[in-house]
Amino acid sequence: MHQGSHRDHEGAQKLFAMIKDVKIAMMTTADSDGQLRSRPMWNQDADEAGDLWFFVKQDAPVTNEIGRDNQVNLSYSDPSSQNYVSVSGKAEIVRDKAKIEAKWSESLKTWFPGGKDDPSIALIRVHPEKGEYWDSPNSTMLHLYGYVKAAVTGESPKTEKKAVDLGAR
């Protein structure tokens, strides 16, 4: 178990706030040939320790890939607010029925028509280790101003970019 929370410091708090409402994350794993594969995963809220959770079918290729190499990357994108986040960490497959029940929502029936008692359901828990975010101005006027400023001065608009250590403390 991890000591403390991945979410305790300011940079981590901002990173988790930026991904909270993003519904789809792209999860990247390595296949048996070492090639990187990404797939969309429905984003669940981070838990109190900062671990990220995803529902999966037990026989999905991603579960085998995590079994061979548990290092994963998650990419989050919210173009409407110009927020982008990348999180890397270690993943594990969790088959605990109580945890599945606690994380279940009816919208998941789209992918799991048998409901939360479907025997093929598992969870992926990602323990974040590092993250990075890009937070750009999000209003149209700010983008227009940035475009004009760049054209006149040659300077790009300011984007907040920050690397965040999410390892347990």
Side-chain angles (χ1 to χ4, degrees):
M1 291 300 289
H2 291 283
Q3 302 288 322
S5 172
H6 303 299
R7 304 172 75 154
D8 288 342
H9 56 85
E10 182 181 331
Q13 290 172 2
K14 180 165 183 172
L15 183 145
F16 283 104
M18 289 173 71
I19 66 174
K20 182 180 185 313
D21 295 323
V22 178
K23 292 303 170 203
I24 304 293
M26 293 297 291
M27 180 180 287
T28 303
T29 57
D31 70 14
S32 60
D33 295 332
Q35 296 293 310
L36 298 178
R37 294 193 60 216
S38 296
R39 81 264 305 144
M41 303 291 286
W42 186 260
N43 189 34
Q44 304 290 310
D45 286 338
D47 66 17
E48 63 282 347
D51 288 340
L52 302 164
W53 294 84
F54 304 89
F55 277 83
V56 66
K57 290 189 184 245
Q58 290 185 31
D59 61 354
V62 68
T63 61
N64 292 327
E65 292 162 7
I66 289 170
R68 281 190 300 276
D69 179 354
N70 69 345
Q71 191 68 43
V72 300
N73 183 266
L74 300 167
S75 298
Y76 297 84
S77 173
D78 183 4
S80 66
S81 63
Q82 292 295 306
N83 291 335
Y84 305 94
V85 177
S86 176
V87 175
S88 60
K90 296 203 183 310
E92 68 176 302
I93 305 303
V94 176
R95 293 178 176 89
D96 180 278
K97 291 291 184 191
K99 190 60 85 172
I100 290 169
E101 172 119 6
K103 300 253 172 234
W104 179 260
S105 71
E106 283 303 305
S107 62
L108 290 164
K109 275 195 166 185
T110 302
W111 296 280
F112 305 98
K116 61 187 168 193
D117 295 319
D118 184 327
S120 71
I121 292 179
L123 289 164
I124 297 172
R125 173 193 283 163
V126 177
H127 304 288
E129 295 175 335
K130 293 186 179 185
E132 196 162 359
Y133 63 79
W134 297 262
D135 183 8
S136 300
N138 63 0
S139 79
T140 302
M141 288 305 292
L142 283 174
H143 281 286
L144 181 58
Y145 168 76
Y147 173 79
V148 171
K149 181 180 176 186
V152 172
T153 67
E155 293 180 24
S156 298
K158 300 297 181 226
T159 297
E160 180 183 358
K161 176 186 176 291
K162 184 169 185 165
V164 180
D165 182 3
L166 297 171
R169 301 198 180 286

